[in-house]
Amino acid sequence: MLKKPTAVISSLTMPWVALLEGMAFSPEAFSEDRERWSYSGKRGPAYWATLDDDFASCGQGKNQSPINLTQLLDGELPEIELHYPTQGDKVINNGHTVQVNFPSGNILRMEGQAFELKQFHFHSPSENTINGQSFPLEAHFVHADKRGNLAVVGVMFEQGAANEGLQPAWNQLPLHAGGQETLDVPIDATKLMPSSLEYYRFNGSLTTPPCTEGVRWLVLKEPVSISKEQVEAFQRAIPFDNNRPVQPVNARVIVQ
């Protein structure tokens, strides 16, 4: 169990988002999703809202993610607890990112609520920035409660020593869109977490279409290490920048 201090959570509800940023994976969904949007050109982020009526929030939403975390408000932040006893067993290249899927049983607890870890995936360079600073890689740990409310934990990676926690997935990294592997060595999500779980808190959205809002965002303050070679391996699997540009903060408050 990880139990460490961390931000103020408002009670938000939202409908179940079927893909949870690509959680569900099938050849049919993969093919259709690849055709609907991308990170560049006429299907890139600037055009997402025009590609499908379901993507309207990408252009009309007022609480969109990612953001630049700045002008932070100090607050008394409740703890989060991570109970991650089960291990990730599948790594997938869905054409937009690389993600690791998890069986049931991994729980994030915050303010008396339980959110189950569904998957984590990566963006390079980072989508969120901290006081304007970008990082070579950011992981998003996507959790959902029983009603479909989402909580995403963001972890920043800074270049340094190799990350041993990542290596089981990197050893079998699918290099082509549509590839998936069952991991020989399951991955332990706790090994990707920094020593401190202090975080920044804000209300946001999915960072990919349909850009649905009502997502609890918890971006951990302390980055973890990743080697230059590991970043380059990810970039071979996803050979383009897969980060949505930062969005206006508008009236939101970012608590630390």
Side-chain angles (χ1 to χ4, degrees):
M1 180 183 77
L2 298 176
K3 182 178 180 181
K4 301 168 190 173
T6 50
V8 152
I9 317 282
S10 65
S11 188
L12 297 172
T13 59
M14 62 173 288
W16 179 258
V17 178
L19 294 181
L20 290 185
E21 290 199 289
M23 177 177 45
F25 183 85
S26 69
E28 295 80 9
F30 161 74
S31 177
E32 179 184 354
D33 195 48
R34 287 267 294 169
E35 292 300 319
R36 293 176 79 191
W37 63 272
S38 73
Y39 282 100
S40 62
K42 295 298 184 180
R43 291 183 291 118
Y47 298 92
W48 285 351
T50 69
L51 299 178
D52 191 302
D53 290 344
D54 291 340
F55 299 173
S57 290
C58 300
Q60 299 174 7
K62 300 300 183 185
N63 294 312
Q64 289 290 290
S65 297
I67 61 172
N68 177 35
L69 284 78
T70 190
Q71 297 182 338
L72 306 168
L73 177 67
D74 290 331
E76 280 195 38
L77 308 181
E79 291 184 344
I80 61 172
E81 297 180 25
L82 301 181
H83 304 267
Y84 287 168
T86 65
Q87 298 178 327
D89 55 1
K90 293 189 184 302
V91 59
I92 294 167
N93 182 332
N94 66 15
H96 296 305
T97 188
V98 169
Q99 71 182 50
V100 175
N101 288 352
F102 281 78
S104 61
N106 293 314
I107 301 299
L108 159 67
R109 295 189 184 279
M110 51 197 292
E111 293 191 316
Q113 294 179 266
F115 297 81
E116 186 171 70
L117 177 64
K118 301 300 182 179
Q119 49 98 342
F120 64 74
H121 61 269
F122 302 92
H123 298 272
S124 180
S126 67
E127 294 202 298
N128 294 293
T129 59
I130 301 175
N131 289 318
Q133 180 184 357
S134 177
F135 293 80
L137 193 76
E138 178 179 2
H140 292 164
F141 292 74
V142 181
H143 305 74
D145 71 9
K146 292 181 178 179
R147 295 180 297 169
N149 301 307
L150 301 186
V152 178
V153 175
V155 176
M156 300 297 188
F157 290 76
E158 61 181 3
Q159 189 168 306
N163 190 300
E164 294 183 4
L166 278 182
Q167 202 55 47
W170 258 230
N171 287 342
Q172 294 178 251
L173 201 61
L175 295 181
H176 302 289
Q180 56 182 316
E181 298 284 344
T182 298
L183 294 175
D184 295 334
V185 179
I187 195 164
D188 183 349
T190 62
K191 293 183 177 179
L192 299 180
M193 293 293 166
S195 59
S196 170
L197 293 183
E198 292 186 354
Y199 62 91
Y200 306 102
R201 161 75 176 109
F202 65 95
N203 298 330
S205 72
L206 300 179
T207 66
T208 61
C211 306
T212 311
E213 296 185 342
V215 178
R216 295 166 169 85
W217 273 92
L218 311 171
V219 175
L220 300 189
K221 293 182 177 182
E222 182 182 343
V224 295
S225 178
I226 191 170
S227 69
K228 180 174 182 286
E229 291 76 17
Q230 286 176 314
V231 173
E232 290 172 346
F234 177 82
Q235 292 170 343
R236 286 194 295 272
I238 304 295
F240 50 84
D241 291 349
N242 69 332
N243 62 317
R244 185 189 190 189
V246 294
Q247 303 296 301
V249 174
N250 295 321
R252 283 177 284 181
V253 173
I254 307 166
V255 184
Q256 67 170 342

